Structure formats: C-alpha cells, structure tokens
Amino acid sequence: MVVGLLLVFNHQGGRKLNLVIYDGRKYDVQFPISYAKECIGVLQTLEWPIAISGASVAYTDKRTTTGYTIVADASSAAYNSDLFYVTFGI
C-alpha cells in the first residue's frame, strides 16, 4: 500500500522601494498570503544603477509563515536602494 503526501508548493514576491542601506537597518515584510505550514526560503536582491564602493548586503531574519525581516547593511556610506524578493513555501 502506497500512501501519498500532497504538499502545495507556492511562491510569491514583491518589492520594497527606497530602503536606506546602512548600519543593519531592518524592514518588515508581510506576505500578501500566509503560507499554511512554512516559508522555506527567500531570494532577494538590491537594485542600484551604479557600483557602490564597499560591500552592500541585504539578508533575511525572523522568517515566519506570514512574513520576514530584511536586514540591510553597507560597509561604506548610506544610500537608498530598491529591493526585490521572491519567497517559497508550503
């Protein structure tokens, strides 16, 4: 006897505009639709039209079924950037 398990894998995405990228700034994201069981992962990228000196990163923190926190940091000077993200979950 074979018992099957059906998981509904889905994704959603969005953007946060004009974020200040510097000194571990945090921004909360609320998903338009909550995941039933788990947000498996988040892919995100900063968008900027020119090269910025020093390292600039945005990483995730406190991922839940209803949202997550963006942590943005830059090693040189503060600047503003847009951030785009895609989330995956079940």
Side-chain angles (χ1 to χ4, degrees):
M1 181 173 156
V2 176
V3 177
L5 176 64
L6 176 64
L7 295 176
V8 178
F9 183 75
N10 60 47
H11 65 281
Q12 53 190 311
R15 62 186 182 166
K16 295 286 261 186
L17 301 177
N18 204 31
L19 300 180
V20 176
I21 311 301
Y22 193 59
D23 201 24
R25 299 277 177 105
K26 295 184 178 186
Y27 303 92
D28 290 328
V29 173
Q30 296 298 311
F31 300 142
I33 301 169
S34 297
Y35 290 107
K37 295 198 178 284
E38 177 182 6
C39 176
I40 296 169
V42 177
L43 301 173
Q44 61 185 13
T45 186
L46 294 170
E47 182 174 273
W48 190 250
I50 61 172
I52 303 292
S53 65
S56 299
V57 298
Y59 55 91
T60 65
D61 188 25
K62 300 179 183 169
R63 194 175 63 236
T64 69
T65 58
T66 60
Y68 77 101
T69 300
I70 298 166
V71 183
D73 203 357
S75 64
S76 55
Y79 68 95
N80 289 24
S81 178
D82 296 342
L83 180 136
F84 298 86
Y85 66 89
V86 176
T87 64
F88 300 91
I90 52 176

